[in-house]
Amino acid sequence: DIQLTQSPSFLSASVGDRVTITCRASQGISSYLAWYQQIPGKAPKLLIYLASTLKSGVPSRFSGSGSGTEFTLTIASLQPEDFATYYCQQLYPYPFTFGPGTKVDI
Amino acid sequence: QVHLVESGGAVVQPGRSLRLSCSASGFTFSSYAMHWVRQAPGKGLEWLAVISYESSNKYYADSVKGRFTISRDNSKNTVYLQMNTLRVEDTAVYYCAKEGAPPASYSSGIDYWGQGTLVTVSS
C-alpha cells in the first residue's frame, strides 16, 4: 500500500501568513492526490483534487501543486477560519490512504 | 443539496458485530461510488472501504479486510458497513462519504461527508 507523510505535523502561524504544507508519497501516484480541511468536531471538507484542481466554492487563496511523489498545499494569506487540520489523500490505486495530518494553529 | 446521514453507532463488546447505515439524498445515489472513513478519538482519518455505483467492485483497507463488508441498496439510497469481530481499536467516528467522480473515471476525492456516527468497542 502507498504510504503518505506530511510535513510539518504542526504549524504555528498568524493571520495573513503564507502557509505551505508538503505531502510525500512512498511511490509515484501521478496527480491522484486530494487535500482536505477538518475543523475540530466537523467532518472533513474537500479543498483540492487531482493535486491542483480547486473544488468549486473553495476560496482561491488555497492552491495545490505537485505530481509523482511530492505535493504541496499552499494557503496564500491565512484567514481566521483556516485554522484547522489538513490531510492529503492518495486517490490511486486502492486502498486509498490519508496522510497523518498537519495542524495549523495560531 | 447532498445530505448523508449515518446511523447504527453504539457501544459494543469486543468480538461482537455491528451494522452501520448511511442514508443519502440530494444526488443520484445510484450513479456514484460510496466510501466509509473513520477517525479514532484524537487521531487522523483512516479510509476503510469503497463500493462502486452498481456494487460490482469493493475495496478495503488492510486493517478491516475480512472483518468489514460494505454494501449498498440503490433502491433505498443507502450504503451499509457490516462490522464483525470488533476490536477495541475499532473505536472511532465512522463517516459515510460520496465519491466525487462519476463512474469509469479516476477518483476526484470525497466531495461530501456525513456527520459521522460513533462506535465504541469496550468490555
Side-chain angles (χ1 to χ4, degrees):
Chain A
D1 298 353
I2 294 172
Q3 309 300 318
L4 298 178
T5 58
Q6 287 184 235
S7 59
S9 54
F10 180 86
L11 188 160
S12 183
S14 301
V15 173
D17 283 354
R18 180 181 180 88
V19 166
T20 299
I21 298 168
T22 299
C23 177
R24 291 185 174 87
S26 59
Q27 60 191 79
I29 56 172
S30 186
S31 295
Y32 299 116
L33 189 100
W35 289 97
Y36 300 86
Q37 176 195 64
Q38 187 179 33
I39 292 167
K42 302 289 189 182
K45 172 187 171 183
L46 178 64
L47 300 174
I48 288 167
Y49 60 94
L50 295 176
S52 61
T53 302
L54 199 66
K55 187 192 173 189
S56 175
V58 173
S60 59
R61 62 181 179 273
F62 292 93
S63 64
S65 65
S67 67
T69 61
E70 187 156 331
F71 302 85
T72 59
L73 171 70
T74 300
I75 308 172
S77 177
L78 202 64
Q79 298 302 300
E81 60 268 29
D82 300 337
F83 291 95
T85 300
Y86 293 85
Y87 296 92
C88 56
Q89 182 194 26
Q90 63 88 11
L91 302 177
Y92 183 82
Y94 291 115
F96 290 176
T97 48
F98 287 94
T102 295
K103 184 176 182 180
V104 177
D105 209 346
I106 299 174
Chain B
Q1 70 277 23
V2 174
H3 204 44
L4 300 169
V5 180
E6 302 93 340
S7 60
V11 178
V12 296
Q13 293 179 326
R16 304 299 290 266
S17 299
L18 196 64
R19 188 177 83 157
L20 305 182
S21 301
C22 171
S23 177
S25 61
F27 66 103
T28 306
F29 179 76
S30 59
S31 295
Y32 289 90
M34 296 295 294
H35 301 261
W36 285 96
V37 176
R38 71 183 177 186
Q39 187 168 36
K43 302 297 184 182
L45 301 171
E46 181 184 14
W47 179 87
L48 296 179
V50 64
I51 184 168
S52 60
Y53 70 104
E54 83 290 39
S55 302
S56 62
N57 293 300
K58 303 174 186 180
Y59 299 93
Y60 298 91
D62 290 345
S63 59
V64 303
K65 198 178 298 182
R67 296 190 301 126
F68 289 11
T69 301
I70 190 171
S71 61
R72 65 190 294 161
D73 185 339
N74 286 346
S75 69
K76 296 181 178 179
N77 283 8
T78 301
V79 61
Y80 304 96
L81 186 68
Q82 177 67 43
M83 305 185 294
N84 297 331
T85 318
L86 282 162
R87 304 168 180 167
V88 171
E89 54 265 34
D90 293 321
T91 294
V93 172
Y94 285 72
Y95 294 102
C96 157
K98 172 188 168 292
E99 167 59 46
S105 300
Y106 287 106
S107 175
S108 57
I110 294 172
D111 62 353
Y112 290 96
W113 300 65
Q115 84 290 348
T117 188
L118 178 62
V119 173
T120 302
V121 184
S122 173
S123 55

